[in-house]
Amino acid sequence: MSEQDCTKEPADILLVEDNPGDVRLTEEAFNECRITNTLHVVGDGIEALDFLYQRGDHADAPRPDLILLDLNLPRKNGDEVLEEIAENRELSRIPVLVLTSSKSEADIVRSYDLHANAYLTKPVNPEVFVEMVRTFEQFWFSIVQLPPKERG
């Protein structure tokens, strides 16, 4: 690991997931992989947008460096969240990884049409899920150059 990696600020990751079991599995995968990035969790599309726009209970929320977005959400589904993110100049810079149980070709195409940066199908096996989390975390935070956070 380079000195630059050690001094890098932890990233803020927004997990938009309504299934408590999947939230717990994601948190456990982060712990098992010793991922030091901060995981923020919201349970539906409306709350995700409140977090991103820093409204209501999320007025002090940080701007996430990456969004993990389930498609099947209450109140406002993942497609609607993706569409709103894509229409906002500042939010559209945040990479969005769709993390869903759907293997539907229509969902995959629609997600990319709405500018998702990746489409990941949740593995059923917890060990495979942990390995997937480790892989995407390494890719997005060690290899990819993300845009800087805008300072307000």
Short mmCIF file of all heavy atoms in Angstrom, two decimals, residues 61-88:
data_model
loop_
_atom_site.label_atom_id
_atom_site.label_comp_id
_atom_site.label_asym_id
_atom_site.label_seq_id
_atom_site.Cartn_x
_atom_site.Cartn_y
_atom_site.Cartn_z
N ALA A 61 -25.96 16.12 6.15
CA ALA A 61 -25.39 14.94 5.49
C ALA A 61 -24.23 15.34 4.58
O ALA A 61 -24.28 16.38 3.91
CB ALA A 61 -26.46 14.23 4.66
N PRO A 62 -23.20 14.51 4.54
CA PRO A 62 -22.10 14.78 3.61
C PRO A 62 -22.51 14.42 2.19
O PRO A 62 -23.41 13.61 1.98
CB PRO A 62 -20.99 13.84 4.09
CG PRO A 62 -21.73 12.70 4.69
CD PRO A 62 -22.98 13.30 5.32
N ARG A 63 -21.88 15.03 1.22
CA ARG A 63 -22.11 14.64 -0.17
C ARG A 63 -21.40 13.31 -0.38
O ARG A 63 -20.19 13.22 -0.17
CB ARG A 63 -21.55 15.71 -1.11
CG ARG A 63 -21.66 15.44 -2.60
CD ARG A 63 -23.07 15.29 -3.16
NE ARG A 63 -24.01 16.30 -2.80
CZ ARG A 63 -24.29 17.39 -3.51
NH1 ARG A 63 -23.66 17.62 -4.64
NH2 ARG A 63 -25.18 18.26 -3.11
N PRO A 64 -22.12 12.24 -0.75
CA PRO A 64 -21.45 10.94 -0.89
C PRO A 64 -20.49 10.91 -2.07
O PRO A 64 -20.67 11.63 -3.06
CB PRO A 64 -22.60 9.96 -1.09
CG PRO A 64 -23.76 10.78 -1.51
CD PRO A 64 -23.55 12.17 -1.01
N ASP A 65 -19.47 10.07 -1.94
CA ASP A 65 -18.51 9.86 -3.02
C ASP A 65 -19.01 8.76 -3.96
O ASP A 65 -18.57 8.67 -5.11
CB ASP A 65 -17.16 9.43 -2.43
CG ASP A 65 -16.59 10.52 -1.55
OD1 ASP A 65 -16.16 11.55 -2.09
OD2 ASP A 65 -16.58 10.34 -0.31
N LEU A 66 -19.94 7.94 -3.47
CA LEU A 66 -20.45 6.81 -4.23
C LEU A 66 -21.83 6.46 -3.67
O LEU A 66 -22.05 6.55 -2.46
CB LEU A 66 -19.52 5.61 -4.08
CG LEU A 66 -19.87 4.36 -4.87
CD1 LEU A 66 -19.39 4.49 -6.32
CD2 LEU A 66 -19.20 3.14 -4.24
N ILE A 67 -22.74 6.04 -4.55
CA ILE A 67 -24.07 5.62 -4.13
C ILE A 67 -24.28 4.17 -4.54
O ILE A 67 -24.03 3.80 -5.69
CB ILE A 67 -25.16 6.51 -4.79
CG1 ILE A 67 -24.98 7.97 -4.40
CG2 ILE A 67 -26.56 6.01 -4.41
CD1 ILE A 67 -25.80 8.95 -5.23
N LEU A 68 -24.71 3.35 -3.58
CA LEU A 68 -25.14 1.98 -3.84
C LEU A 68 -26.66 2.00 -3.78
O LEU A 68 -27.24 2.29 -2.74
CB LEU A 68 -24.59 1.02 -2.77
CG LEU A 68 -23.08 0.93 -2.68
CD1 LEU A 68 -22.68 0.06 -1.48
CD2 LEU A 68 -22.49 0.37 -3.96
N LEU A 69 -27.31 1.73 -4.89
CA LEU A 69 -28.74 1.94 -5.03
C LEU A 69 -29.49 0.67 -5.39
O LEU A 69 -29.23 0.06 -6.43
CB LEU A 69 -28.99 3.00 -6.11
CG LEU A 69 -30.42 3.36 -6.46
CD1 LEU A 69 -31.11 4.05 -5.29
CD2 LEU A 69 -30.45 4.24 -7.71
N ASP A 70 -30.42 0.28 -4.52
CA ASP A 70 -31.33 -0.81 -4.85
C ASP A 70 -32.40 -0.24 -5.79
O ASP A 70 -32.72 0.95 -5.73
CB ASP A 70 -31.97 -1.35 -3.56
CG ASP A 70 -32.78 -2.61 -3.79
OD1 ASP A 70 -32.59 -3.28 -4.82
OD2 ASP A 70 -33.62 -2.92 -2.92
N LEU A 71 -32.95 -1.07 -6.65
CA LEU A 71 -34.01 -0.59 -7.55
C LEU A 71 -35.39 -0.69 -6.93
O LEU A 71 -36.24 0.17 -7.16
CB LEU A 71 -34.00 -1.40 -8.86
CG LEU A 71 -32.80 -1.19 -9.78
CD1 LEU A 71 -32.96 -2.04 -11.04
CD2 LEU A 71 -32.63 0.27 -10.14
N ASN A 72 -35.63 -1.73 -6.16
CA ASN A 72 -36.97 -1.99 -5.61
C ASN A 72 -37.10 -1.32 -4.25
O ASN A 72 -36.84 -1.93 -3.22
CB ASN A 72 -37.20 -3.50 -5.51
CG ASN A 72 -37.03 -4.16 -6.86
OD1 ASN A 72 -37.59 -3.70 -7.85
ND2 ASN A 72 -36.24 -5.21 -6.90
N LEU A 73 -37.49 -0.06 -4.28
CA LEU A 73 -37.59 0.75 -3.07
C LEU A 73 -39.01 1.27 -2.88
O LEU A 73 -39.72 1.51 -3.86
CB LEU A 73 -36.66 1.97 -3.16
CG LEU A 73 -35.17 1.69 -3.29
CD1 LEU A 73 -34.43 2.95 -3.68
CD2 LEU A 73 -34.63 1.15 -1.97
N PRO A 74 -39.41 1.48 -1.63
CA PRO A 74 -40.72 2.11 -1.39
C PRO A 74 -40.67 3.62 -1.65
O PRO A 74 -39.59 4.21 -1.69
CB PRO A 74 -40.98 1.82 0.09
CG PRO A 74 -39.65 1.56 0.70
CD PRO A 74 -38.76 1.05 -0.40
N ARG A 75 -41.83 4.19 -1.80
CA ARG A 75 -42.08 5.63 -1.96
C ARG A 75 -41.53 6.20 -3.27
O ARG A 75 -42.24 6.90 -3.97
CB ARG A 75 -41.59 6.44 -0.77
CG ARG A 75 -42.26 6.00 0.52
CD ARG A 75 -42.24 7.01 1.63
NE ARG A 75 -40.93 7.49 1.99
CZ ARG A 75 -40.74 8.66 2.59
NH1 ARG A 75 -41.76 9.45 2.87
NH2 ARG A 75 -39.52 9.04 2.93
N LYS A 76 -40.30 5.95 -3.62
CA LYS A 76 -39.73 6.38 -4.89
C LYS A 76 -38.72 5.31 -5.26
O LYS A 76 -37.79 5.05 -4.51
CB LYS A 76 -39.07 7.75 -4.75
CG LYS A 76 -38.67 8.38 -6.07
CD LYS A 76 -38.15 9.80 -5.91
CE LYS A 76 -39.25 10.81 -5.87
NZ LYS A 76 -39.35 11.65 -7.05
N ASN A 77 -38.93 4.65 -6.41
CA ASN A 77 -38.07 3.52 -6.74
C ASN A 77 -36.70 3.96 -7.26
O ASN A 77 -36.46 5.15 -7.50
CB ASN A 77 -38.77 2.55 -7.71
CG ASN A 77 -38.96 3.14 -9.09
OD1 ASN A 77 -38.13 3.88 -9.61
ND2 ASN A 77 -40.07 2.80 -9.72
N GLY A 78 -35.82 2.99 -7.43
CA GLY A 78 -34.45 3.28 -7.84
C GLY A 78 -34.36 3.98 -9.19
O GLY A 78 -33.51 4.86 -9.39
N ASP A 79 -35.24 3.62 -10.13
CA ASP A 79 -35.23 4.29 -11.44
C ASP A 79 -35.54 5.78 -11.28
O ASP A 79 -34.91 6.62 -11.92
CB ASP A 79 -36.27 3.67 -12.38
CG ASP A 79 -35.88 2.28 -12.84
OD1 ASP A 79 -34.68 1.92 -12.77
OD2 ASP A 79 -36.78 1.54 -13.28
N GLU A 80 -36.50 6.10 -10.43
CA GLU A 80 -36.86 7.51 -10.22
C GLU A 80 -35.72 8.26 -9.55
O GLU A 80 -35.45 9.43 -9.87
CB GLU A 80 -38.13 7.60 -9.37
CG GLU A 80 -39.36 7.06 -10.08
CD GLU A 80 -40.55 6.91 -9.15
OE1 GLU A 80 -40.43 6.25 -8.09
OE2 GLU A 80 -41.62 7.46 -9.50
N VAL A 81 -35.03 7.61 -8.63
CA VAL A 81 -33.88 8.24 -7.97
C VAL A 81 -32.77 8.46 -9.00
O VAL A 81 -32.18 9.54 -9.07
CB VAL A 81 -33.38 7.38 -6.79
CG1 VAL A 81 -32.08 7.94 -6.21
CG2 VAL A 81 -34.44 7.29 -5.69
N LEU A 82 -32.48 7.44 -9.80
CA LEU A 82 -31.46 7.57 -10.85
C LEU A 82 -31.79 8.72 -11.79
O LEU A 82 -30.91 9.51 -12.16
CB LEU A 82 -31.37 6.28 -11.68
CG LEU A 82 -30.39 5.23 -11.25
CD1 LEU A 82 -30.57 3.97 -12.10
CD2 LEU A 82 -28.96 5.71 -11.30
N GLU A 83 -33.05 8.82 -12.18
CA GLU A 83 -33.47 9.87 -13.11
C GLU A 83 -33.22 11.26 -12.51
O GLU A 83 -32.70 12.15 -13.16
CB GLU A 83 -34.94 9.69 -13.47
CG GLU A 83 -35.41 10.59 -14.57
CD GLU A 83 -36.81 10.24 -15.05
OE1 GLU A 83 -37.42 9.28 -14.54
OE2 GLU A 83 -37.29 10.94 -15.95
N GLU A 84 -33.58 11.42 -11.24
CA GLU A 84 -33.38 12.72 -10.59
C GLU A 84 -31.90 13.04 -10.43
O GLU A 84 -31.48 14.18 -10.61
CB GLU A 84 -34.11 12.76 -9.25
CG GLU A 84 -34.15 14.17 -8.71
CD GLU A 84 -35.31 14.44 -7.77
OE1 GLU A 84 -36.32 13.73 -7.81
OE2 GLU A 84 -35.17 15.41 -7.00
N ILE A 85 -31.11 12.04 -10.10
CA ILE A 85 -29.65 12.25 -9.97
C ILE A 85 -29.08 12.68 -11.32
O ILE A 85 -28.30 13.63 -11.41
CB ILE A 85 -28.95 10.98 -9.46
CG1 ILE A 85 -29.30 10.74 -7.99
CG2 ILE A 85 -27.44 11.07 -9.65
CD1 ILE A 85 -28.85 9.39 -7.46
N ALA A 86 -29.49 12.01 -12.39
CA ALA A 86 -28.97 12.31 -13.73
C ALA A 86 -29.34 13.71 -14.19
O ALA A 86 -28.58 14.34 -14.94
CB ALA A 86 -29.48 11.28 -14.73
N GLU A 87 -30.47 14.23 -13.72
CA GLU A 87 -30.93 15.55 -14.15
C GLU A 87 -30.28 16.69 -13.38
O GLU A 87 -30.41 17.85 -13.75
CB GLU A 87 -32.45 15.65 -13.99
CG GLU A 87 -33.20 14.78 -14.99
CD GLU A 87 -34.69 14.73 -14.73
OE1 GLU A 87 -35.16 15.28 -13.70
OE2 GLU A 87 -35.40 14.12 -15.55
N ASN A 88 -29.56 16.37 -12.31
CA ASN A 88 -28.92 17.41 -11.49
C ASN A 88 -27.43 17.42 -11.78
O ASN A 88 -26.73 16.43 -11.58
CB ASN A 88 -29.18 17.12 -10.01
CG ASN A 88 -28.57 18.16 -9.10
OD1 ASN A 88 -27.36 18.26 -8.97
ND2 ASN A 88 -29.42 18.95 -8.46
#
